[in-house]
């Protein structure tokens, strides 16, 4: 009886080892296939450059509209200035030169869709790691975000100017 139990135990160990380890040509484990893609790897080239959100085309801007910029400054003061300054790092990054670093569509998509930008866009994920604070959705309309963008355009100075 003891020999029979020993034989069964050995057979069970051999079968478990043979089937449990898998063959050399076995497909990758299911855990690898279900792992989330690297942040940004599922984005289109447009989304990588211009962000993820309601602005889905490149914005071609003409001269600064001072009327829009004035409205944008008021919106910036009430909605953005608690966390952003133009030159200094604060709760969020300085925005004085943001229009030289990011496209107009990117800026608007960040303003209009910060939750998705933080979860899916590699640039914004990096900023989150640096500032450790997510930008809240301020509930601006696309027109209001455009006015804030226009104001930010007045804050950027080309290289060599004051």
């Amino acid at each position: 009886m003891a020999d029979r139990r020993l034989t069964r135990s050995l057979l069970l160990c051999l079968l478990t080892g043979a089937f449990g380890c898998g063959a050399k040509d076995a497909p990758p484990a299911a855990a690898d296939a279900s792992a989330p893609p690297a942040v940004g790897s599922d984005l289109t080239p447009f989304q990588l450059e211009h962000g993820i959100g309601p602005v889905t085309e490149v914005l071609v801007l003409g001269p600064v509209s001072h009327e829009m910029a004035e409205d944008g400054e008021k919106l910036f003061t009430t909605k953005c200035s608690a966390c952003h300054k133009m030159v200094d790092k604060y709760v969020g990054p300085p925005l004085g030169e943001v229009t030289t670093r990011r496209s107009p569509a990117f800026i608007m998509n960040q303003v209009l869709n910060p939750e998705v930008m933080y979860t899916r866009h590699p640039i914004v994920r990096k900023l989150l790691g640096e500032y450790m604070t997510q930008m809240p959705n301020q509930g601006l309309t696309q027109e209001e975000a455009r006015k804030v963008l226009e104001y930010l355009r007045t804050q950027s100075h080309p290289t060599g100017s004051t």
Side-chain angles (χ1 to χ4, degrees):
M1 185 83 154
D3 288 336
R4 186 177 269 182
R5 274 194 244 159
L6 182 59
T7 305
R8 280 187 191 169
S9 295
L10 286 173
L11 183 58
L12 184 58
C13 286
L14 287 172
L15 289 173
T16 302
F19 292 108
C21 293
K24 288 183 181 178
D25 297 313
D32 294 340
S34 66
V39 173
S41 64
D42 63 329
L43 303 182
T44 67
F46 178 88
Q47 290 171 325
L48 286 169
E49 184 175 349
H50 302 287
I52 309 158
V55 181
T56 58
E57 296 181 0
V58 174
L59 294 177
V60 180
L61 306 176
V64 170
S65 164
H66 293 288
E67 183 179 327
M68 283 180 73
E70 286 176 18
D71 290 345
E73 181 177 14
K74 291 174 189 165
L75 286 164
F76 183 89
T77 300
T78 60
K79 299 281 190 171
C80 311
S81 66
C83 297
H84 294 284
K85 304 303 174 199
M86 289 301 150
V87 177
D88 301 321
K89 286 185 173 186
Y90 200 55
V91 176
L95 296 181
E97 300 291 325
V98 70
T99 59
T100 64
R101 295 186 309 273
R102 307 282 181 254
S103 75
F106 187 102
I107 294 166
M108 287 186 62
N109 281 327
Q110 177 61 34
V111 169
L112 296 168
N113 199 25
E115 305 90 348
V116 173
M117 291 285 281
Y118 275 111
T119 58
R120 295 187 57 209
H121 201 284
I123 291 172
V124 182
R125 297 281 304 168
K126 183 178 178 190
L127 287 169
L128 177 60
E130 183 178 344
Y131 288 90
M132 304 302 287
T133 303
Q134 286 188 0
M135 185 175 110
N137 190 326
Q138 295 293 329
L140 272 64
T141 65
Q142 203 161 334
E143 181 181 340
E144 290 170 326
R146 177 65 180 84
K147 289 176 180 180
V148 170
L149 169 64
E150 203 67 4
Y151 169 65
L152 292 173
R153 291 177 67 201
T154 69
Q155 301 302 299
S156 181
H157 304 289
T159 305
S161 58
T162 58

